[in-house]
Amino acid sequence: MEEVKKIYFSLREVEQSTGLRASTLRYWETQFEELNPRKDAHGDRYYTEEDIAFLKQVKFIRDELKITRIEAIKNELKSGSRNIDARQRATDILQRIRQQLVDLRASL
């Protein structure tokens, strides 16, 4: 049986996968035109994988590169997206390795 690939993710799922609060997600919607989640009749937001990848990029710039002003983040996105992707992937890999080491240490 084939696994069905999920297309849309709820606000709560995005909070869990990115570590961002709902208030931050809603604020960033107003600041970044690239971020425009679908909304249903009740106003509930639904994000795509592309939206989540974009959010993770912005979070990486804010948290890891310590760039906090929205305009500066936008400039970084425009000028360094390939470098950001590579650094973000490297950081993600290192965090997973670190967690594996913590888990391994706990099991000893």
Side-chain angles (χ1 to χ4, degrees), residues 95-107:
Q95 287 173 342
R96 281 196 304 269
I97 291 170
R98 182 178 186 276
Q99 186 58 50
Q100 289 172 345
L101 289 170
V102 168
D103 293 346
L104 182 61
R105 186 176 188 188
S107 68

Side-chain angles (χ1 to χ4, degrees), residues 4 11 16 42 71 82 88 93 96 98:
V4 177
L11 182 67
Q16 291 171 348
H42 302 288
E71 284 305 314
R82 274 182 271 168
Q88 185 177 2
I93 290 167
R96 281 196 304 269
R98 182 178 186 276

Side-chain angles (χ1 to χ4, degrees), residues 11-27:
L11 182 67
R12 183 167 307 285
E13 289 172 315
V14 174
E15 281 182 297
Q16 291 171 348
S17 73
T18 64
L20 295 165
R21 295 188 331 226
S23 59
T24 301
L25 296 171
R26 287 190 295 271
Y27 174 67

Side-chain angles (χ1 to χ4, degrees), residues 64-91:
E64 301 299 325
L65 303 182
K66 307 295 186 210
I67 299 173
T68 56
R69 288 184 10 258
I70 295 296
E71 284 305 314
I73 291 172
K74 288 178 182 180
N75 288 336
E76 184 65 27
L77 285 166
K78 286 179 190 171
S79 66
S81 63
R82 274 182 271 168
N83 290 336
I84 293 167
D85 288 342
R87 286 184 284 186
Q88 185 177 2
R89 280 194 300 277
T91 300

